[in-house]
Amino acid sequence: MNIVSLALKRVSGAFGVVAMIFLAFLMFGTTADVITRAVTGEPISGVFEMSELSLVMVVFLGAMWAQEDRAHIRVNMLSTRLSGLPHRVAMAFAWGCGALALFMFAWPATQEAIYSVSIWEFRWGYIQVPIWWAKVGLALGLWLAALQMALHAVLAALRDEPEDTTTGPET
């Protein structure tokens, strides 16, 4: 189990770095595009199209990274009041449901990615932009996030973790 956890941690870290590169493109590319539009009246070709794809990559490659730190939005009114076996069961059930939902999204995303690669899909905007690679990244991110969430479900069933009870920003 530790080997799988370590492997997923390394993959999530790598995916997180890639997601941050796409986020940097969103920040700097959009800023440069706005400045260029203000000065010349014309956009930078391809920035809008790449921004769309970058948003997808930030969300789906960053999902594992967020899960690693339990940074997804969650409601813990019930789980903070539980301890011991009831807490473990509730957490395992919750993480298991999340994993199941991600697996259900990953399957059709994979089918779409396979089709997209088979036709080398692209989209037209100001320029022709290949999008097959983003669909592959989306499917891969979903599968690995689902696997990581399933692992967290198993770990939650095996050992009790203290619940984060912070309700707001730290002061």
Side-chain angles (χ1 to χ4, degrees):
M1 194 64 79
N2 288 338
I3 294 171
V4 174
S5 292
L6 182 61
L8 286 175
K9 186 173 185 146
R10 287 187 178 162
V11 170
S12 73
F15 276 19
V17 168
V18 173
M20 290 302 102
I21 291 169
F22 280 104
L23 182 62
F25 172 80
L26 276 170
M27 294 183 325
F28 297 120
T30 303
T31 301
D33 191 46
V34 167
I35 292 169
T36 302
R37 282 178 195 249
V39 172
T40 67
E42 295 291 322
I44 300 172
S45 294
V47 169
F48 177 76
E49 292 80 2
M50 279 303 296
S51 293
E52 290 177 326
L53 298 176
S54 293
L55 283 170
V56 170
M57 300 309 280
V58 166
V59 169
F60 291 99
L61 293 183
M64 282 184 78
W65 205 23
Q67 178 62 23
E68 188 67 38
D69 292 332
R70 310 289 198 280
H72 293 293
I73 295 171
R74 57 188 175 151
V75 178
N76 59 4
M77 289 183 338
L78 175 63
S79 62
T80 55
R81 289 176 171 74
L82 299 174
S83 63
L85 182 62
H87 183 259
R88 288 198 322 264
V89 169
M91 295 308 295
F93 178 74
W95 291 127
C97 287
L100 180 61
L102 288 173
F103 280 128
M104 288 170 48
F105 289 136
W107 180 252
T110 301
Q111 299 303 311
E112 182 62 30
I114 290 168
Y115 175 72
S116 185
V117 169
S118 75
I119 64 169
W120 297 110
E121 187 175 8
F122 65 91
R123 118 185 237 304
W124 281 100
Y126 285 111
I127 61 172
Q128 179 181 347
V129 178
I131 62 171
W132 59 267
W133 59 271
K135 290 187 176 186
V136 170
L138 183 148
L140 187 61
L142 281 169
W143 281 111
L144 290 171
L147 180 63
Q148 184 181 42
M149 204 168 277
L151 176 68
H152 285 173
V154 170
L155 292 175
L158 296 176
R159 63 177 187 244
D160 207 12
E161 298 178 339
E163 189 71 36
D164 181 14
T165 57
T166 58
T167 57
E170 295 179 5
T171 56

